[in-house]
């Protein structure tokens, strides 16, 4: 399983107490059951209050030899604890156990212990039968009890320094969005079967794919997994940018021995499907790299609907997850066991401090069973209905009906809030944010777009800061602010709000029309319009110059988008010449909406269309050969060959001679970069053949011998084979160059081809591999006695 011993070595080295406040009363009872069973050397059972006369833990229900009372009173004063214990005396006099123990989550003074012992001395050998928080903590911090701490994740995760260091770039890299609500998440997290299985899978095969329906807990499970690894010295990398996995891989490659865990969120999102064909293998390359690296781990996340789309659109990639050498564990979290559903429900009720009379409406007639067994049960709905803000105008007697109503009709989760509780200004802020992003957007940019929209509302008092007022009302319930890389960004509190607003807008023509008509940003229009509608709208904006009045998140984004659209649509208007020159001076790929990327080489190609090239006098700009060399140096070898061919066809006479000199230098540099640190796992190799061909005969005497693989020889053969492949690839690229730009035949003989990863490929192949089922799908299982015990305390 996962390396818990090392992790808990960190935990146990912490001077501070373990975080018992993170446990609800049921979880604390589970903990005490484990502690007292081990401490007393007997197996203790749990019972619900009311059915058993007040027993929490007992060794034998008929003999009643040992009874343990558990009191999770960490937030209650000593008088509350004493008052509660006094109520146990009549029950105890009736049960008459041989030994009675009390476990409580409070530090007690000697006087307190003496008072409690006096109350129960007839059933206690000594005051040592009173187990206080100090004794519990001392017991758990002994090395021989690591197994108990291991099984109670919420107890120790925040007792390390990890949660204090979540903004440290030394530990969490680009994780601001992921960890923005972690202090709340750690309380509401439930250690489910899927979580335990995920840790086992990740430790075993290093790559884990978590899929499931929206709201089933993919994100919070991923957070807790990466926190668990962080406590064991792993650096955490988080990204939603599936369009630039090569950069992520290069960053990892800088220190192959470093312990790192990567969380790739929405790995089959729109960004992935927009990548060019040569990039489509980058995800597989990253998976292979991680699985060949001893100290790397990778978690992939995707909604089940998007995963199914990937199975259709990129079937070869998804099928490759079953490859023996880099098999990916797949966990579908959509199906949960009944007990896990019950734990999630109880945990939300407990930490949201749901009042007793409301809780009673759930206990009445065992209504909690109807919640747990409901076909629409979803942790996100449970999170919603247990929030006191949501049911503040619901009477306690109707609380269960309130929950059931939202389960019967999940769309109601946001209907009441959006239509009845929010003002028009608040709704405009939400729809403005929705129209700008599916993830996060700059707070300032949202502010600008929102203010541009409300200008058209005569009833809105513009002397008041409507944005700040609305933001304060929507925070926590609908939106959250995240400090991301020293800038503030805004996002929905969870994806279901985006889903809800999308559904509303798609079915409400008037609301959608208003959002389009008041859109201040091109990005809003890109999201709201069909491709043909967007193109028509943009052509009109470019023709009348109004495109220059639209808001962009940055001037760089504005220049890039304008240049992209001009080049692709052959718009000839000198008002945009400076935008083109500004873009070329800092050429890059363009995000036309979030992660939908237009590649720089394609924009460059369109800019060098003869009509566009001559109209905008791009030839004059490219006459600055220092600038031209900088532009060409941006491209990788494959795209560079295309760029050089485009330029070569347009340049004449003396300019062409200078260009040939520059082009050859840039090509040589690109070839050297291409050949530097070549990853062996990027090549489709039959490792089996290399290993078998490298076998040598080993004699043991008495005419006994065997063939054993010669690892060094196999590695050498793989590296030589890859070097030949690289030479062939480079040669094929260079053969597409104009004759004047061809490099000398001896050039490639001087280039050093550095191959890395061959040793990992061989060792991975030689590692034994078991045949267990790597696809986990949780199956609901009825366990009503355990669930009844949880809710009837």
């Amino acid at each position: 399983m996962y390396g818990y011993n090392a992790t808990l070595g960190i935990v146990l080295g912490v001077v501070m107490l373990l975080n018992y406040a993170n446990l609800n009363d049921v979880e604390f009872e589970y903990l005490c059951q484990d502690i007292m069973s081990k401490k007393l050397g007997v197996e203790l059972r749990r019972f619900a209050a009311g059915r058993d006369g007040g027993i929490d833990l007992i060794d034998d229900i008929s003999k009643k030899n040992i009874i343990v009372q558990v009191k999770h009173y960490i937030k209650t004063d000593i008088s509350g604890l004493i008052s509660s214990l006094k109520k146990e005396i009549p029950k105890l006099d009736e049960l008459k156990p041989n030994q009675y123990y009390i476990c409580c989550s409070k530090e007690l003074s000697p006087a307190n212990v003496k008072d409690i012992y006096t109350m129960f001395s007839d059933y206690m050998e000594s005051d040592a039968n009173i187990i206080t928080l100090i004794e519990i903590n001392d017991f758990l911090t002994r090395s021989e009890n690591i197994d108990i701490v291991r099984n109670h994740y919420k107890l120790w995760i925040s007792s390390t320094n990890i949660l204090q260091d979540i903004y440290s770039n030394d530990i969490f890299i680009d994780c601001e969005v992921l960890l923005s609500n972690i202090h709340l998440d750690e309380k509401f997290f439930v250690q489910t079967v899927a979580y335990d299985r995920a840790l086992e899978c990740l430790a075993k095969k290093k790559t884990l794919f978590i899929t499931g329906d929206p709201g089933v807990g993919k994100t919070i499970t991923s957070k807790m997994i990466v926190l668990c690894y962080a406590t064991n010295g792993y650096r955490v990398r988080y990204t939603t940018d599936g369009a630039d996995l090569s950069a992520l891989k290069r960053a990892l490659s800088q220190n192959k021995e470093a312990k790192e865990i990567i969380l790739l969120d929405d790995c089959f999102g729109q960004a992935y499907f927009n990548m060019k064909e040569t990039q489509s293998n980058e995800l597989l390359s990253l998976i292979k790299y991680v699985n060949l690296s001893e100290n790397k781990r990778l978690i992939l996340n995707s909604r089940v609907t998007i995963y199914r789309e990937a199975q259709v659109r990129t079937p070869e990639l998804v099928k490759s997850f079953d490859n023996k050498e880099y098999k990916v564990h797949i966990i579908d979290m959509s199906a949960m066991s009944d007990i896990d559903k019950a734990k999630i429900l109880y945990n939300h009720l407990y930490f949201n401090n749901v009042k007793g009379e409301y809780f009673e409406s759930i206990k009445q007639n065992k209504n909690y069973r109807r919640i747990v067994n409901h076909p629409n049960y979803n942790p996100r709905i449970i999170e919603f209905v247990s929030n006191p803000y949501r049911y503040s105008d619901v009477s306690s007697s109707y609380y269960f009906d309130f929950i059931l109503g939202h389960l019967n009709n999940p769309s109601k989760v946001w209907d009441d809030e959006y239509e009845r509780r929010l003002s028009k200004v608040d709704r405009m802020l939400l729809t403005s944010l929705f129209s700008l992003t599916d993830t996060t957007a700059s707070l300032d940019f949202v502010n600008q777009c929102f203010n541009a929209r409300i200008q058209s509302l005569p009833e809105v008092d513009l002397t008041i800061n409507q944005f700040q007022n609305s933001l304060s009302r929507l925070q926590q319930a609908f939106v959250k602010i995240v400090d991301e890389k020293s800038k503030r960004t805004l996002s929905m509190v969870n994806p279901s709000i985006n889903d809800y607003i999308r559904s509303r807008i798609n079915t409400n023509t008037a609301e959608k029309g208003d959002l389009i008509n008041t859109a201040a940003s091109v990005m809003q229009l890109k999201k709201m319009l069909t491709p043909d509608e967007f193109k028509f709208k943009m052509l009109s904006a470019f023709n009348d110059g109004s495109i220059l009045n639209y808001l962009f998140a940055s001037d760089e984004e504005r220049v890039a988008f304008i240049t992209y659209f001009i080049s692709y649509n052959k718009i000839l208007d000198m008002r945009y010449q400076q935008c083109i020159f500004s873009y070329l001076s800092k050429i890059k790929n363009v995000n036309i909406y979030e992660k939908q990327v237009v590649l720089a080489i394609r924009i460059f190609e369109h800019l060098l269309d003869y009509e566009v090239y001559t109209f905008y006098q791009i030839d004059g700009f490219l006459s600055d050969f220092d600038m031209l060399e900088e532009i060409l140096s941006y491209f990788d070898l494959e795209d560079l060959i295309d760029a050089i061919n485009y330029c070569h066809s347009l340049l004449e006479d003396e300019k062409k001679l200078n260009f040939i000199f520059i082009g050859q230098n840039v090509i040589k540099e690109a070839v050297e970069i291409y050949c530097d640190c070549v990853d062996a796992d990027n090549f489709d190799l039959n490792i089996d053949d290399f290993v078998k061909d490298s076998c040598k005969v080993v004699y043991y005497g008495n005419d006994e011998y065997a063939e054993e693989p010669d690892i060094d020889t196999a590695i050498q053969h793989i590296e030589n084979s890859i070097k030949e492949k690289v030479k062939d690839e480079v040669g094929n690229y260079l053969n597409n160059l104009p004759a004047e730009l061809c490099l000398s035949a001896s050039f490639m003989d001087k280039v050093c081809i550095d191959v890395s990863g061959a040793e990992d490929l061989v060792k991975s192949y030689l590692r034994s591999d078991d045949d267990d089922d790597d696809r986990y799908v949780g199956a609901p299982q009825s366990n009503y006695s355990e669930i009844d015990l949880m809710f009837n305390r």
Side-chain angles (χ1 to χ4, degrees):
M1 199 175 169
Y2 175 70
Y4 277 113
N5 287 342
T7 300
L8 293 172
I10 297 173
V11 174
L12 298 179
V14 179
V15 176
M16 63 188 292
L17 290 175
L18 299 174
N19 194 348
Y20 301 92
N22 254 8
L23 305 181
N24 64 43
D25 54 350
V26 172
E27 290 166 334
F28 183 69
E29 193 169 288
Y30 276 117
L31 175 65
C32 291
Q33 181 182 13
D34 290 345
I35 291 172
M36 297 306 293
S37 292
K38 188 168 186 178
K39 196 178 183 71
L40 301 176
V42 296
E43 191 67 31
L44 296 175
R45 299 172 59 191
R46 298 171 60 243
F47 287 93
R51 188 180 63 186
D52 48 55
I55 299 171
D56 285 337
L57 306 173
I58 193 169
D59 61 339
D60 188 307
I61 190 62
S62 58
K63 296 181 180 178
K64 299 181 179 65
N65 182 49
I66 298 173
I67 291 178
V68 179
Q69 199 71 48
V70 179
K71 297 293 183 182
H72 193 30
Y73 274 55
I74 197 165
K75 295 180 179 179
T76 306
D77 59 27
I78 187 62
S79 61
L81 174 62
I82 296 295
S83 176
S84 174
L85 287 172
K86 286 179 179 178
K87 296 176 183 178
E88 305 296 336
I89 295 176
K91 304 173 189 176
L92 203 58
D93 290 339
E94 183 177 340
L95 294 168
K96 299 186 183 306
N98 291 329
Q99 283 297 313
Y100 184 62
Y101 293 85
I102 295 171
C103 286
C104 67
S105 55
K106 285 194 74 66
E107 296 181 26
L108 302 178
S109 68
N112 298 148
V113 171
K114 183 178 179 181
D115 290 342
I116 295 172
Y117 175 67
T118 300
M119 292 165 57
F120 300 101
S121 59
D122 290 344
Y123 305 104
M124 291 183 174
E125 284 187 353
S126 69
D127 61 9
N129 285 36
I130 302 168
I131 317 297
T132 71
L133 194 59
I134 297 295
E135 283 81 31
I136 290 174
N137 201 71
D138 287 344
F139 182 83
L140 291 176
T141 52
R142 295 175 196 159
S143 59
E144 65 267 24
N145 298 320
I146 281 179
D147 58 327
I148 296 178
V149 183
R150 173 196 304 164
N151 292 330
H152 298 272
Y153 175 90
K154 289 167 65 175
L155 181 66
W156 57 264
I157 185 61
S158 62
S159 295
T160 67
N161 292 324
I162 290 301
L163 292 188
Q164 285 72 47
D165 294 336
I166 62 173
Y167 297 113
S168 168
N169 285 329
D170 294 332
I171 301 172
F172 296 99
I173 303 169
D174 296 338
C175 291
E176 292 91 343
V177 174
L178 179 72
L179 300 176
S180 59
N181 287 332
I182 194 65
H183 291 87
L184 293 174
D185 290 336
E186 61 164 340
K187 283 188 172 66
F188 289 107
F189 172 68
V190 169
Q191 193 169 330
T192 62
V193 173
Y195 168 81
D196 291 334
R197 175 64 173 165
L199 279 182
E200 292 175 8
C201 292
L202 199 55
K204 183 177 180 182
K205 285 295 182 183
K206 302 178 184 176
T207 301
L208 174 68
F209 192 107
I210 300 177
T211 187
D213 296 326
V216 296
K218 298 185 297 295
T219 298
I220 193 170
T221 298
S222 299
K223 285 183 183 183
M224 296 305 152
I225 291 172
V226 298
L227 279 181
C228 188
Y229 269 84
T231 62
N232 200 27
Y234 278 75
R235 299 173 77 198
V236 179
R237 292 178 179 270
Y238 171 76
T239 183
T240 59
D241 189 359
D244 196 14
L245 296 180
S246 58
L248 174 62
K249 186 179 172 185
R250 285 195 301 272
L252 295 171
S253 300
Q254 292 174 3
N255 186 354
K256 200 164 188 176
E257 299 305 313
K259 297 200 296 187
E260 293 176 292
I261 182 167
I262 309 103
L263 174 55
L264 178 54
D265 212 5
D266 190 24
C267 65
F268 287 126
Q270 192 60 45
Y272 181 77
F273 293 125
N274 284 330
M275 290 194 294
K276 66 178 182 178
E277 185 177 351
T278 55
Q279 288 176 297
S280 64
N281 292 324
E282 288 182 357
L283 177 57
L284 182 57
S285 176
L286 177 63
I287 292 170
K288 291 168 68 177
Y289 175 79
V290 167
N291 280 279
L292 292 171
S293 303
E294 187 62 30
N295 293 323
K296 309 296 181 191
R297 298 291 185 273
L298 174 63
I299 304 173
L300 309 170
N301 268 352
S302 178
R303 293 188 182 193
V304 69
T305 51
I306 298 175
Y307 175 61
R308 288 170 184 156
E309 182 182 1
Q311 288 177 308
V312 175
R313 297 178 67 171
T314 57
E316 294 305 315
L317 173 68
V318 177
K319 288 179 182 177
S320 70
F321 286 178
D322 285 327
N323 186 291
K324 174 186 175 182
E325 294 175 28
Y326 45 88
K327 183 175 283 189
V328 176
H329 287 265
I330 298 176
I331 290 184
D332 186 348
M333 295 188 63
S334 297
M336 289 180 284
S337 67
D338 292 340
I339 188 64
D340 280 347
K341 291 179 182 178
K343 286 179 179 178
I344 291 168
L345 172 61
Y346 187 90
N347 200 54
H348 276 83
L349 296 172
Y350 181 90
F351 282 110
N352 275 309
N353 297 313
V354 172
K355 293 180 180 179
E357 59 268 27
Y358 286 84
F359 195 92
E360 284 299 320
S361 74
I362 295 174
K363 289 172 60 177
Q364 186 178 4
N365 301 320
K366 298 184 178 179
N367 286 331
Y368 50 82
R369 288 191 182 185
R370 295 177 63 186
I371 297 173
V372 167
N373 290 322
H374 198 286
N376 293 335
Y377 179 97
N378 184 288
R380 187 167 289 161
I381 297 177
I382 300 305
E383 176 188 2
F384 183 95
V385 297
S386 61
N387 187 328
Y389 171 80
R390 310 294 183 193
Y391 64 82
S392 59
D393 56 354
V394 177
S395 68
S396 59
S397 58
Y398 284 96
Y399 183 49
F400 170 70
D401 294 327
F402 169 80
I403 296 174
L404 197 62
H406 284 83
L407 288 170
N408 289 335
N409 184 6
S411 65
K412 288 181 65 177
V413 167
W414 299 112
D415 269 342
D416 292 342
E417 294 288 306
Y418 190 85
E419 294 180 353
R420 296 176 179 83
R421 294 195 180 209
L422 299 185
S423 68
K424 182 176 182 178
V425 171
D426 294 342
R427 291 195 293 270
M428 290 187 76
L429 176 52
L430 281 179
T431 53
S432 295
L433 176 59
F434 164 78
S435 67
L436 285 168
T437 181
D438 283 329
T439 54
T440 65
S442 160
L443 187 68
D444 290 339
F445 189 48
V446 178
N447 188 2
Q448 292 178 58
C449 293
F450 168 77
N451 284 329
R453 288 190 68 195
I454 64 172
Q455 299 292 328
S456 61
L457 299 178
E459 69 272 21
V460 174
D461 185 353
L462 299 180
T463 64
I464 297 173
N465 191 331
Q466 296 289 353
F467 179 75
Q468 287 299 331
N469 287 350
S470 182
L471 191 61
S472 64
R473 291 190 294 269
L474 294 174
Q475 265 188 280
Q476 304 309 319
F478 282 91
V479 301
K480 62 181 178 181
I481 298 174
V482 179
D483 291 319
E484 187 176 355
K485 291 184 179 177
S486 73
K487 71 175 183 180
R488 304 182 84 198
T489 61
L490 191 66
S491 70
M492 303 295 185
V493 292
N494 65 57
S496 66
I497 304 177
N498 264 326
D499 294 340
Y500 172 76
I501 295 177
R502 181 181 292 107
S503 175
R504 281 189 61 94
I505 288 176
N506 287 340
T507 56
N508 188 336
T509 305
E511 189 172 15
K512 184 174 183 177
D514 177 69
L515 186 52
I516 292 170
N517 292 333
T518 57
S521 164
V522 167
M523 301 307 165
Q524 293 175 286
L525 295 173
K526 182 69 179 69
K527 185 172 183 179
M528 304 305 301
L529 299 172
T530 67
D532 288 342
E533 290 171 339
F534 177 72
K535 183 176 180 179
F536 180 81
K537 183 80 171 177
M538 287 297 97
L539 286 173
S540 176
F542 274 88
N543 286 336
D544 63 19
S546 61
I547 186 65
L548 298 173
N549 299 325
Y550 277 97
L551 297 174
F552 289 87
S554 66
D555 188 58
E556 187 179 63
E557 185 181 279
R558 179 183 67 85
V559 164
F561 177 81
I562 289 175
T563 304
Y564 143 72
F565 200 86
I566 285 171
S567 66
Y568 267 62
N569 295 281
K570 289 189 177 181
I571 295 173
L572 307 178
D573 189 325
M574 288 304 291
R575 282 178 293 187
Y576 307 120
Q577 183 187 50
Q578 191 54 49
C579 285
I580 293 174
F581 291 170
S582 295
Y583 171 76
L584 287 172
S585 66
K586 294 181 180 179
I587 193 168
K588 61 183 294 185
N589 297 338
V590 176
N591 291 334
I592 56 171
Y593 179 72
E594 294 206 309
K595 301 296 192 301
Q596 296 184 23
V597 178
V598 178
L599 299 173
I601 186 60
R602 300 283 76 87
I603 297 176
F604 192 63
E605 174 190 3
H606 284 82
L607 286 175
L608 296 191
D609 173 87
Y610 185 77
E611 192 175 359
V612 175
Y613 179 77
T614 53
F615 179 84
Y616 286 110
Q617 301 169 6
I618 295 175
D619 58 331
F621 184 81
L622 297 183
S623 295
D624 181 342
F625 286 106
D626 288 339
M627 179 60 68
L628 178 58
E629 184 173 6
E630 190 171 328
I631 291 171
L632 295 176
S633 297
Y634 172 82
F635 300 114
D636 60 24
L637 181 60
E638 180 184 1
D639 290 343
L640 175 62
I641 303 301
D642 289 341
I644 284 177
N645 282 325
Y646 302 148
C647 292
H648 184 268
S649 64
L650 291 170
L651 296 173
E652 298 176 352
D653 304 328
E654 184 179 344
K655 290 182 179 179
K656 180 168 288 189
L657 292 175
N658 289 331
F659 172 71
I660 290 171
F661 173 77
I662 291 171
Q664 285 185 329
N665 287 337
V666 174
I667 292 167
K668 289 177 182 178
E669 188 174 309
V671 169
E672 289 173 353
I673 292 172
Y674 190 86
C675 296
D676 182 44
C677 200
V678 176
D679 286 330
D681 55 278
N682 286 340
F683 294 82
D684 187 14
L685 301 171
N686 191 337
I687 306 301
D688 183 67
D689 289 343
F690 286 101
V691 173
K692 287 180 178 177
D693 291 344
S694 68
C695 283
K696 60 185 178 182
V697 178
V698 178
Y699 290 93
Y700 300 105
N702 298 323
D703 294 329
E704 293 184 8
Y705 65 91
E707 284 192 344
E708 293 184 1
D710 185 332
I711 295 178
D712 291 338
T713 300
I715 292 171
Q716 189 62 53
H717 287 171
I718 291 172
E719 289 181 349
N720 291 339
S721 175
I722 290 174
K723 288 178 181 179
E724 290 303 316
K725 288 178 181 290
V726 171
K727 284 184 179 180
D728 290 342
E729 288 177 355
V730 172
N732 290 334
Y733 287 136
L734 298 183
N735 286 339
N736 292 320
L737 286 169
E740 303 96 312
L741 282 148
C742 286
L743 303 178
S744 65
S746 62
F747 171 72
M748 280 305 297
D749 295 331
K750 300 175 184 177
V751 174
C752 175
I753 302 176
D754 178 27
V755 178
S756 65
E759 181 179 357
D760 292 329
L761 284 175
V762 174
K763 289 182 177 179
S764 176
Y765 173 83
L766 293 175
R767 278 199 298 262
S768 61
D769 191 9
D770 48 45
D771 295 320
D772 68 327
D773 183 9
D774 293 311
R775 293 176 181 265
Y776 168 78
V777 179
Q781 299 173 354
S782 295
N783 190 348
Y784 289 133
S785 61
E786 184 71 11
I787 294 171
D788 290 342
L789 172 60
M790 187 182 306
F791 282 88
N792 293 282
R793 299 178 47 74

